[in-house]
């Protein structure tokens, strides 16, 4: 079994934590996923950030799946608005925090579906409800795939080749799915069997979004910066952008 944090995620004695993350609505959604056999059971927390909790689950086919819970109280309301406003798919979003977080979850599911259909290397989404998304657990051999920021530098056999593999995924996302990732960084790229897998698609926007070009350029600059700092590789932002768009 892949390693995860030794933590009982449904410990009702820890009222402070339990009530903030696993409230009634969240627990109800998890139970619904279990009843519908989207997951068998939650195994434990493998990562926790300010805005979400990542839970490893056992899937119905003896596989592993990821249950991503967006936190209601600590999510960045203003940051979410920036990526939802201007997206024609989400015109009627109410500006209450819970409603916005629910739409944020729905948006990631929708973007992952588009990415999968376009042949982009990304986790397969299975279902969503309220602030919970169920998706594929990306593996690297027998272990859970790690992000670039979690890896040692010598774990990439050919950093330059891996860079262009990532660019190729961004190109497929742009050309085939008509999407801009809008949050590319070493934290949102996994390594799975020597190929990159893009994750965290909630903020991704359509190429028609008024800030699409700015987001794409920022993505490319973030990628170039990481490989320059970590591997002393130099790439031209304009050249990479031109390749992605043409």
């Amino acid at each position: 079994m892949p390693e995860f944090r030794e933590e009982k995620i449904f410990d009702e004695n820890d009222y402070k934590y339990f009530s903030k993350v696993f409230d009634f609505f969240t627990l109800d959604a998890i139970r619904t996923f279990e009843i519908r056999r989207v997951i068998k059971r939650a195994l434990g927390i493998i990562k926790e950030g300010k805005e979400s909790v990542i839970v490893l689950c056992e899937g119905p086919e003896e596989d592993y799946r990821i249950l991503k819970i967006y936190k209601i109280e600590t999510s960045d309301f203003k940051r979410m608005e920036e990526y939802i406003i201007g997206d024609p798919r989400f015109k009627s979003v109410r500006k209450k925090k819970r409603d916005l977080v629910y739409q944020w979850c729905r948006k990631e599911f929708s973007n992952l579906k588009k990415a999968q259909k376009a042949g982009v290397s990304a986790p397969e989404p299975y279902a969503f409800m309220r602030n919970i998304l169920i998706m594929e657990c990306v593996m690297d051999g027998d272990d859970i795939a790690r992000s670039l920021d979690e890896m040692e530098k010598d774990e990439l056999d050919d950093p330059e080749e891996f860079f262009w593999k990532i660019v190729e995924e961004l190109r497929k996302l742009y050309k085939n799915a008509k999407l801009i990732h809008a949050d590319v960084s070493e934290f949102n790229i996994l390594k799975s069997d020597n190929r990159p897998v893009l994750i965290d698609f909630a903020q991704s926007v359509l190429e028609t979004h008024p800030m699409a070009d700015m987001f794409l350029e920022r993505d490319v600059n973030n990628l170039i910066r990481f490989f320059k700092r970590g591997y002393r590789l130099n790439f031209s932002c304009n050249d990479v952008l031109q390749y992605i768009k043409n």
Side-chain angles (χ1 to χ4, degrees), residues 191-203:
K191 174 182 171 290
S192 173
D193 300 324
N194 205 35
R195 65 185 178 92
V197 179
L198 304 180
I199 61 170
D200 289 345
F201 279 78
Q203 72 294 317

Side-chain angles (χ1 to χ4, degrees), residues 7-11 16-27 30 42 45 53 55 67 69 132:
E7 180 171 346
K8 301 296 184 182
I9 65 170
F10 299 128
D11 185 355
K16 183 178 180 181
Y17 184 79
F18 182 84
S19 61
K20 282 188 175 181
V21 179
F22 300 99
D23 60 14
F24 170 80
F25 298 104
T26 302
L27 288 173
I30 293 173
I45 295 172
V53 176
V55 180
L67 187 152
I69 304 172
I132 299 178

Side-chain angles (χ1 to χ4, degrees), residues 171-229:
R171 186 172 190 266
K172 284 190 284 187
L173 190 66
Y174 182 86
K175 300 285 284 186
N176 301 342
K178 309 299 182 185
L179 282 176
I180 313 296
H181 186 279
D183 194 23
V184 168
S185 74
E186 61 271 28
F187 304 100
N188 295 334
I189 302 170
L190 307 180
K191 174 182 171 290
S192 173
D193 300 324
N194 205 35
R195 65 185 178 92
V197 179
L198 304 180
I199 61 170
D200 289 345
F201 279 78
Q203 72 294 317
S204 300
V205 299
L206 297 172
E207 64 171 4
T208 55
H209 189 282
M211 299 178 68
D213 285 341
M214 187 275 284
F215 289 148
L216 180 59
E217 184 173 347
R218 186 179 66 187
D219 281 351
V220 171
N221 275 320
N222 285 344
L223 190 61
I224 289 172
R225 191 177 302 114
F226 172 74
F227 278 86
K228 182 176 182 178
R229 182 177 69 245

Side-chain angles (χ1 to χ4, degrees), residues 37-244:
R37 295 187 58 79
V38 181
I39 59 171
K40 273 189 177 180
R41 63 191 177 104
L43 299 174
I45 295 172
I46 56 175
K47 184 175 287 189
E48 181 176 2
K50 179 183 177 183
E51 296 184 352
S52 67
V53 176
I54 305 298
V55 180
L56 181 67
C57 296
E58 184 181 350
E61 300 173 2
E62 305 303 322
D63 57 339
Y64 292 109
R65 297 187 174 186
I66 292 297
L67 187 152
K68 184 175 184 177
I69 304 172
Y70 284 105
K71 298 178 181 179
I72 304 296
E73 295 302 321
T74 58
S75 293
D76 190 336
F77 183 86
K78 290 185 177 179
R79 186 178 77 88
M80 289 179 173
E81 273 194 318
E82 179 182 10
Y83 296 98
I84 289 181
I85 293 173
D87 191 323
R89 298 173 295 171
F90 303 93
K91 287 182 178 178
S92 58
V93 178
R94 291 187 294 176
K95 293 189 177 181
K96 293 182 180 179
K97 176 166 274 192
R98 183 175 292 274
D99 293 323
L100 190 61
V101 172
Y102 286 2
Q103 289 301 322
W104 194 246
C105 180
R106 175 189 163 202
K107 188 168 185 271
E108 177 153 29
F109 180 84
S110 175
N111 287 337
L112 281 170
K113 279 289 189 184
K114 286 177 71 68
Q116 281 276 308
K117 187 176 180 180
V120 176
S121 181
E124 180 181 354
Y126 296 118
F128 76 97
M129 181 182 294
R130 298 173 185 152
N131 60 321
I132 299 178
L133 172 66
I134 307 290
M135 59 186 158
E136 172 190 6
C137 179
V138 179
M139 305 295 290
D140 187 19
D142 294 328
D143 298 315
I144 298 173
R146 292 171 296 151
S147 58
L148 294 184
D149 77 294
E150 297 172 315
M151 295 168 46
E152 298 295 331
K153 292 178 182 179
D154 60 3
E155 291 185 65
L156 287 184
D157 295 333
D158 188 334
E160 184 169 359
E161 179 185 48
F162 202 83
F163 173 89
W164 285 108
K165 285 181 179 179
I166 297 169
V167 171
E168 189 62 39
E169 297 305 323
L170 296 179
R171 186 172 190 266
K172 284 190 284 187
L173 190 66
Y174 182 86
K175 300 285 284 186
N176 301 342
K178 309 299 182 185
L179 282 176
I180 313 296
H181 186 279
D183 194 23
V184 168
S185 74
E186 61 271 28
F187 304 100
N188 295 334
I189 302 170
L190 307 180
K191 174 182 171 290
S192 173
D193 300 324
N194 205 35
R195 65 185 178 92
V197 179
L198 304 180
I199 61 170
D200 289 345
F201 279 78
Q203 72 294 317
S204 300
V205 299
L206 297 172
E207 64 171 4
T208 55
H209 189 282
M211 299 178 68
D213 285 341
M214 187 275 284
F215 289 148
L216 180 59
E217 184 173 347
R218 186 179 66 187
D219 281 351
V220 171
N221 275 320
N222 285 344
L223 190 61
I224 289 172
R225 191 177 302 114
F226 172 74
F227 278 86
K228 182 176 182 178
R229 182 177 69 245
Y231 300 96
R232 297 183 179 180
L233 295 172
N234 289 302
F235 301 98
S236 162
C237 181
N238 288 335
D239 289 348
V240 175
L241 284 171
Q242 186 174 6
Y243 176 75
I244 288 173

